[in-house]
Amino acid sequence: MALVLQPSLSMFTLVTLFSILLNLNPSSCFNPKLFSVSRLQSDADWAAAGATWYGNPDGAGTDGGACGYGNAVENSPFSKMVSAGGPSLFKSGKGCGACYQVKCTTNAACSGNSATVVITDECPGCTSESVHFDLSGTAFGAMAVSGQEGQLRNAGVLQIQYKRVDCNYPGVTLIFRVDSGSNPNYFATLIEYEDGAGDLTEVHLKQSGGDSDSWLLMQESWGAVWKLDSGSALQAPFSIRLTASDGQALVANNVIPDGWQAGQTYRSLVNF
């Protein structure tokens, strides 16, 4: 009798266990695995680059740089967290204003934590890697374990990871710094603090009076400066339409007032 009963009990036990497994909440079984996949997908967003630093150890590289931001790189919202870019980042000036996260793990002084930087300058000789950041001393040190910033800066050329991110300047609107060479027939302006993509592909100007519905295409002058050489007197106020590299467009209506002056700065009410 015992020999007949034992297989029956074993089969009952197996069926019961199988039933219990089927009724378990699948998420409780697979959460760790799903978390691991998500983390790996996030890591896949990062790419390899080379990094150096220039200027003072706690500085902003060089004042201004090839994008034309001047001493704004020292102050909020840039706050010295800036970088010169090799050719693939600077893009002949089209890369000005783009934001990236950078981090390092290849040196004992690396924290592995990311820091966000803005392209504000050019490093034309940074071509040993396809992507190279020549960071400000402040930004380079931001990748270090607290208290080991100096050790990291002594590393020379550092292998890092980077990824493109949206720029975010809370509470800051677009600023237009009118170039000192501007006159009634020629208008040029530096554009700063674009949220979102950060870099621009097109800028248009609309004047008042005459054909006031016509948007005139501006040309990139240098860095983050855009110009319009109309050949005739332009009628202010001007509205400026910006198109970012991600296709987003925005209009700063009448941002340049009647009676504008070369060398002056005008703040808009908008941002991406």
Side-chain angles (χ1 to χ4, degrees):
M1 180 67 71
L3 292 175
V4 175
L5 184 59
Q6 185 62 41
S8 182
L9 288 172
S10 298
M11 183 62 69
F12 175 80
T13 302
L14 288 171
V15 170
T16 303
L17 287 172
F18 184 71
S19 177
I20 292 171
L21 287 171
L22 284 177
N23 286 284
L24 281 174
N25 183 349
S27 64
S28 64
C29 295
F30 295 104
N31 259 344
K33 198 167 186 177
L34 288 172
F35 178 79
S36 177
V37 171
S38 177
R39 179 178 58 79
L40 289 174
Q41 288 173 341
S42 178
D43 288 348
D45 294 338
W46 296 84
T52 46
W53 66 278
Y54 72 121
N56 295 324
D58 59 351
T62 57
D63 285 344
C67 290
Y69 296 129
N71 60 11
V73 295
E74 297 273 351
N75 305 313
S76 178
F78 289 150
S79 303
K80 305 179 184 179
M81 293 297 292
V82 297
S83 180
S88 65
L89 293 173
F90 186 71
K91 302 175 184 177
S92 300
K94 286 292 199 303
C96 289
C99 294
Y100 296 87
Q101 283 185 346
V102 294
K103 65 179 181 178
C104 70
T105 57
T106 56
N107 186 286
C110 291
S111 69
N113 297 325
S114 63
T116 302
V117 299
V118 186
I119 299 299
T120 60
D121 201 357
E122 178 184 18
C123 184
C126 294
T127 56
S128 55
E129 302 92 3
S130 59
V131 178
H132 189 99
F133 293 83
D134 197 15
L135 298 157
S136 69
T138 299
F140 199 92
M143 297 188 294
V145 173
S146 180
Q148 297 185 33
E149 294 84 357
Q151 293 167 247
L152 189 62
R153 293 189 192 101
N154 289 333
V157 179
L158 192 65
Q159 295 305 304
I160 67 166
Q161 293 177 292
Y162 79 99
K163 66 178 177 180
R164 180 76 179 267
V165 296
D166 281 349
C167 299
N168 184 22
Y169 305 115
V172 177
T173 55
L174 294 169
I175 286 178
F176 298 83
R177 301 184 188 274
V178 179
D179 188 80
S180 59
S182 296
N183 59 59
N185 299 329
Y186 170 84
F187 179 80
T189 181
L190 173 79
I191 306 171
E192 291 182 274
Y193 310 140
E194 298 95 321
D195 276 341
D199 52 352
L200 301 174
T201 55
E202 286 187 351
V203 178
H204 291 78
L205 179 147
K206 184 169 72 172
Q207 56 183 323
S208 298
D211 188 7
S212 59
D213 291 330
S214 176
W215 287 97
L216 305 174
L217 179 64
M218 300 182 74
Q219 296 178 314
E220 184 188 4
S221 179
W222 61 278
V225 177
W226 294 77
K227 67 179 181 179
L228 175 63
D229 193 353
S230 69
S232 60
L234 293 164
Q235 299 181 45
F238 305 145
S239 295
I240 308 290
R241 185 175 72 199
L242 313 178
T243 304
S245 62
D246 62 359
Q248 295 294 311
L250 175 145
V251 175
N253 284 309
N254 298 325
V255 65
I256 308 299
D258 189 19
W260 61 268
Q261 295 183 3
Q264 293 297 307
T265 297
Y266 300 96
R267 183 180 295 275
S268 75
L269 301 175
V270 296
N271 209 329
F272 286 94

